[in-house]
Amino acid sequence: MLNLPEDFGCMSFNEATMRERLPKDAYIALKRTREKGVPLDLNMANVVANCMKDWAIEKGATHFTHWFQPLNGITAEKHEGFIAPSGEGDGSIIMEFSGKELIKGEPDASSFPSGGLRATFEARGYTAWDPTSYAFIKDGVLCIPTAFCSYGGEALDKKTPLLRSMAALNTQAMRILKLFESKAEHVTPTVGLEQEYFLIDRDMYNLRKDLIYTGRTLFGAKPPKTQELDDHYYGSIRIRVSAFMKELNEELWKLGILAKTEHNEVAPAQHELAPIFTTVNVAVDHNQITMEIMRKVAKRHGLTCLLHEKPFASVNGSGKHNNWSLCTDTGENLFEPGDTPEKNAQFLTFFCAVIKAVDEYQDLLRISVASAGNDHRLGGNEAPPAIISMYIGEEIEAILNSIATGNHYNKIEHKPIQIGVDVLPPIPRDTTDRNRTSPFAFTGNKFEFRMLGSSMSAADVNTVLNTIVAESLCCFADELEKAEDFNAALGELLRNTIRKHRRIIFNGNGYDENWVKEAQRRGLSNYSSTAEAAPHLMDEKNVRLFSRHGVLNETELRPRCDVMLEGYCKQINIEALVMTEMIRGDILPAVIDFGKFLAEAITSKKSACADIACLAENRLLKRISHLGDTLFTRCEDLSTAISPDNIPADLVQRAKYYRETVLALMNELREVADELETLVSKDYWPYPSYGRVMYRV
Ligand code: ADP
Ligand code: MG
């Protein structure tokens, strides 16, 4: 049993542990490094490393690792023992961990996807300690959160650009805050990630090759009941799931992860976990650890945790809502509407910066959530559509309209809102309304971006958010810093910004078909798939944006586009291969066997009694024979489609081919198999049904 609050963070080398265990000068030096980015000199690093090692050994650790996040979106680690020969010549050992080992590592990382970037420069990459994210112990290994770069300093991971985007955002936000005479010295993005997942029985999982190889079901007829009755959402949590959640929470709390809420989600077997928000790079690290621990703890309970965006057709998929805000070192949330004219002017400035950013870089936000898995979800019935728009609520929309048009804002006074003079009316927190159909919603004091997929790293999304908002703030600051009458200039700037970018605001139903047409009329982009979206990463305006703010230069950006497209093609190719294997190895033989059973039943019935009609057997036999033939031909077609000769060499064309040709063939194939599943006897069908998989827990 965990003893809270004492045991919270007991496996994390956190602030309290540092204060307690480090010599004072080392503690102060490390604090400067953590807070101000001042490099830690080697002497101090040695002291810190030694302390960390002693602490880790007391907690049972024998190894350490530089823990990093390569471009494939998962985490990587290579364990190194603390042991070293003692030098006594008697075969004894000592436990060692140096400052150098803490600060820098050189993993042989040649097998990580790098889009050819590493080859262009140097074969080796190195990992560099991110002292702002606490080291932690996982499975007896001291994990040091690190960034991963090439020897030329090019980012090879997802963390480096995220850290750079935080710095860029801080620089630009501080320029704006200076103009408002703020006392703040630093601005940090804060993020809370709500994580959705499915839990299914491990025995059921082991019987489904599609789940094992691809994380999602490639076949499966719709069961008689799924989520129609809304009886799972917030429902009472079953005993087995509740035991899982309890252990998961304890594991996360030990690591200092602020797991806070848990509940059943809409689909059968679907659940959600949300932590309390924290600094963005830490939130991203914590989310990666959370996903890993979810999988491990599930195993211990005879369960499997599915993090795929769409494990089952016909029920909701899983996402990861990214709640994002900006916080100053003085503890002020910059998206909290204030209660003085100055605070409101400041709030509106940051708010309009986000509107401009989301409108100008819709494509980047869409790209940051693009993956083969998430494509099944976006634009589906339950997830936000692939079109980016913002929900800001009626109250704020009315305020912005008043600013833009100079018309009366009726609810308070019969005059237009004057920036820097008026107090805004109280803005109600969005608690009841909850426009769940909006991909990007303002929820009272933060923005909730809902398009991120459940299995994806949250690093890219936040790198994009930080960078595009930094860009808006930079444009604003350029304008305002030279103004003579600040309030007048600000009023003018906000008016123009709202007028220019209000097309991105949409408070209506994002699932409505008319919205697609309306969005098109407004000129909003609509990339329905990764194949269409990803190549736009390299659009000139995007390349310029990332390089202007020092987040990613062109040589660093290109490989990210390639890795995304390659991953997409490979994922679909694997799925197609698994499908053909399942059809040929299991489904078709089952259909043939069942046909034989029917044929024999007809023969034996007829020989027993010649004038028996055998209507059911005859009809069923004809139908499944026909479907069996179709299944066979479609399976051959799919197989031909993915034979290497037919795959385009050019990456963009290849992705398009997988999207338009291969996925279409897969869907056609699935349709036949799913119909057969409803006709063939359960005794013959080779895989557990959706019903058994989803309701077994
Ligand atoms: P709900 O959406 O269920 O009402 P909340 O709005 O409290 O719950 O929070 C949803 C998520 O947003 C949580 O992970 C929470 O920690 C996070 N969150 C709340 N405030 C902020 C903030 N200022 N910055 C970033 N994330 C936040
Ligand atoms: Mg939410």
Side-chain angles (χ1 to χ4, degrees):
M1 261 306 276
L2 207 60
N3 187 14
L4 291 175
E6 290 83 64
D7 289 344
F8 183 83
C10 63
M11 291 305 217
S12 138
F13 197 72
N14 57 18
E15 183 66 28
T17 312
M18 287 183 213
R19 202 176 328 113
E20 182 194 319
R21 305 191 64 126
L22 289 174
K24 191 141 194 229
D25 53 346
Y27 173 72
I28 292 170
L30 182 54
K31 203 169 162 66
R32 261 207 314 269
T33 305
R34 288 166 43 75
E35 287 169 8
K36 303 250 155 50
V38 183
L40 200 62
D41 76 52
L42 198 58
N43 280 337
M44 284 301 165
N46 279 327
V47 175
V48 173
N50 202 44
C51 259
M52 256 190 202
K53 177 207 68 186
D54 290 344
W55 169 81
I57 289 171
E58 277 170 35
K59 303 269 176 193
T62 51
H63 288 70
F64 73 92
T65 184
H66 275 200
W67 183 78
F68 60 103
Q69 302 171 25
L71 297 186
N72 56 12
I74 56 174
T75 57
E77 49 194 80
K78 175 189 165 205
H79 304 170
E80 307 258 1
F82 286 126
I83 59 164
S86 68
E88 301 289 329
D90 58 359
S92 62
I93 56 154
I94 50 165
M95 302 297 260
E96 246 184 15
F97 181 47
S98 70
K100 219 172 120 232
E101 287 170 310
L102 167 65
I103 290 174
K104 195 166 174 177
E106 292 185 22
D108 175 13
S110 48
S111 296
F112 292 113
S114 70
L117 181 60
R118 220 174 14 253
T120 330
F121 296 91
E122 272 221 46
R124 287 178 310 167
Y126 71 93
T127 47
W129 181 31
D130 167 15
T132 61
S133 182
Y134 300 135
F136 56 94
I137 298 172
K138 179 170 68 76
D139 300 330
V141 179
L142 171 66
C143 299
I144 321 267
T146 53
F148 178 39
C149 298
S150 78
Y151 263 81
E154 286 81 16
L156 293 173
D157 68 347
K158 289 181 184 279
K159 174 170 261 202
T160 308
L162 178 62
L163 294 173
R164 292 176 184 162
S165 74
M166 290 168 71
L169 184 52
N170 172 52
T171 306
Q172 303 306 333
M174 280 314 302
R175 286 176 67 194
I176 297 289
L177 287 181
K178 287 258 145 51
L179 295 168
F180 285 98
E181 291 164 11
S182 161
K183 292 199 175 60
E185 286 179 13
H186 201 91
V187 174
T188 345
T190 52
V191 163
L193 289 154
E194 302 166 59
Q195 175 73 48
E196 292 179 335
Y197 60 96
F198 280 82
L199 272 188
I200 60 166
D201 187 273
R202 192 150 189 85
D203 292 338
M204 293 295 111
Y205 171 82
N206 283 332
L207 290 170
R208 297 226 35 151
K209 284 181 196 161
D210 43 6
L211 284 176
I212 294 172
Y213 285 122
T214 73
R216 73 176 181 112
T217 52
L218 300 169
F219 301 106
K222 188 179 184 309
K225 168 181 181 290
T226 55
Q227 59 194 45
E228 301 83 355
L229 300 178
D230 288 326
D231 51 355
H232 194 252
Y233 191 56
Y234 280 27
S236 74
I237 299 171
R238 266 164 295 181
I239 294 169
R240 221 172 146 193
V241 174
S242 155
F244 158 86
M245 287 179 172
K246 182 169 180 295
E247 192 177 330
L248 174 64
N249 282 334
E250 293 194 350
E251 292 289 326
L252 296 176
W253 290 336
K254 278 196 248 171
L255 291 167
I257 296 174
L258 293 152
K260 174 82 172 163
T261 57
E262 58 199 19
H263 62 80
N264 285 351
E265 259 299 331
V266 171
Q270 194 184 28
H271 311 277
E272 182 187 291
L273 174 106
I276 297 173
F277 68 95
T278 179
T279 309
V280 57
N281 62 321
V282 176
V284 171
D285 284 0
H286 281 181
N287 179 254
Q288 292 287 358
I289 304 171
T290 301
M291 291 194 286
E292 182 180 334
I293 294 192
M294 278 178 163
R295 288 200 172 102
K296 276 192 191 146
V297 173
K299 253 187 203 171
R300 287 188 219 137
H301 290 257
L303 299 164
T304 295
C305 173
L306 302 176
L307 290 167
H308 193 283
E309 284 74 16
K310 194 74 180 176
F312 304 101
S314 75
V315 303
N316 277 13
S318 298
K320 176 145 55 195
H321 292 178
N322 191 83
N323 294 274
W324 178 94
S325 189
L326 293 177
C327 189
T328 65
D329 57 338
T330 50
E332 182 186 357
N333 177 347
L334 295 176
F335 294 110
E336 186 78 61
D339 45 19
T340 62
E342 303 76 50
K343 280 289 171 227
N344 283 321
Q346 184 188 300
F347 163 75
L348 287 169
T349 308
F350 280 93
F351 197 89
C352 288
V354 177
I355 294 179
K356 174 178 157 74
V358 175
D359 184 35
E360 282 178 348
Y361 295 98
Q362 303 156 41
D363 51 346
L364 279 183
L365 284 169
R366 170 65 185 94
I367 292 163
S368 72
V369 298
S371 77
N374 211 21
D375 277 0
H376 295 292
R377 189 178 150 260
L378 298 180
N381 257 340
E382 80 289 351
I387 305 164
I388 307 272
S389 67
M390 277 175 90
Y391 167 80
I392 59 171
E394 277 172 23
E395 202 73 30
I396 297 198
E397 189 172 31
I399 294 165
L400 296 188
N401 276 339
S402 165
I403 295 170
T405 57
N407 287 340
H408 298 175
Y409 173 71
N410 287 324
K411 278 196 191 150
I412 32 164
E413 286 171 53
H414 293 285
K415 64 181 180 76
I417 291 204
Q418 256 184 297
I419 299 293
V421 178
D422 286 331
V423 179
L424 294 185
I427 296 167
R429 283 280 171 89
D430 162 51
T431 46
T432 46
D433 180 15
R434 298 249 143 205
N435 185 333
R436 296 205 140 262
T437 66
S438 176
F440 200 105
F442 181 64
T443 49
N445 61 357
K446 62 184 190 290
F447 291 93
E448 181 169 348
F449 185 40
R450 298 169 173 147
M451 281 169 75
L452 185 58
S454 47
S455 71
M456 302 175 84
S457 156
D460 292 346
V461 157
N462 288 296
T463 301
V464 167
L465 263 172
N466 295 343
T467 312
I468 64 180
V469 174
E471 167 67 13
S472 293
L473 295 171
C474 175
C475 296
F476 284 8
D478 288 348
E479 199 65 25
L480 296 172
E481 277 164 356
K482 58 182 192 229
E484 277 168 20
D485 179 345
F486 177 68
N487 275 341
L490 182 62
E492 182 68 16
L493 176 72
L494 296 187
R495 188 157 38 250
N496 291 338
T497 306
I498 298 164
R499 282 185 188 157
K500 191 160 170 208
H501 299 293
R502 70 198 323 175
R503 63 171 187 167
I504 198 73
I505 296 166
F506 178 63
N507 284 340
N509 179 3
Y511 299 169
D512 195 338
E513 271 173 39
N514 290 328
W515 168 232
V516 178
K517 288 186 209 120
E518 166 66 12
Q520 195 176 17
R521 203 187 51 73
R522 294 188 188 188
L524 302 180
S525 60
N526 181 6
Y527 300 129
S528 66
S529 75
T530 304
E532 285 170 82
H536 290 282
L537 185 59
M538 299 313 293
D539 285 358
E540 202 194 324
K541 78 179 219 308
N542 296 335
V543 175
R544 224 180 317 123
L545 169 86
F546 285 117
S547 70
R548 179 161 52 231
H549 293 282
V551 175
L552 288 165
N553 62 32
E554 190 169 353
T555 21
E556 293 173 309
L557 199 58
R558 161 80 53 198
R560 279 157 215 269
C561 179
D562 291 356
V563 167
M564 203 187 308
L565 286 168
E566 264 163 20
Y568 176 80
C569 297
K570 284 180 185 162
Q571 182 61 36
I572 298 177
N573 195 63
I574 291 169
E575 291 180 351
L577 284 172
V578 174
M579 270 190 129
T580 54
E581 187 185 307
M582 287 172 82
I583 298 279
R584 288 171 181 160
D586 299 322
I587 297 180
L588 206 49
V591 173
I592 293 168
D593 270 354
F594 185 58
K596 190 167 150 229
F597 163 77
L598 289 171
E600 284 170 4
I602 296 168
T603 322
S604 67
K605 270 189 173 180
K606 292 244 176 197
S607 71
C609 181
D611 60 354
I612 255 178
C614 294
L615 180 87
E617 292 88 341
N618 268 312
R619 291 239 176 115
L620 206 47
L621 180 57
K622 274 190 198 147
R623 184 76 193 138
I624 67 156
S625 301
H626 169 70
L627 287 172
D629 292 346
T630 316
L631 190 72
F632 175 78
T633 358
R634 290 191 183 176
C635 183
E636 293 312 300
D637 290 348
L638 177 62
S639 190
T640 312
I642 56 166
S643 76
D645 300 343
N646 289 325
I647 309 286
D650 174 75
L651 191 50
V652 173
Q653 289 310 316
R654 198 187 317 155
K656 209 164 155 237
Y657 176 78
Y658 274 102
R659 165 77 184 173
E660 287 168 8
T661 307
V662 179
L663 267 180
L665 290 170
M666 285 165 62
N667 289 339
E668 285 170 13
L669 183 57
R670 174 179 184 147
E671 215 175 282
V672 195
D674 287 359
E675 187 177 346
L676 276 164
E677 188 185 340
T678 65
L679 300 173
V680 172
S681 156
K682 296 276 169 282
D683 296 339
Y684 285 78
W685 198 256
Y687 306 115
S689 66
Y690 264 27
R692 282 181 72 204
V693 176
M694 282 192 273
Y695 289 108
R696 170 73 181 254
V697 177

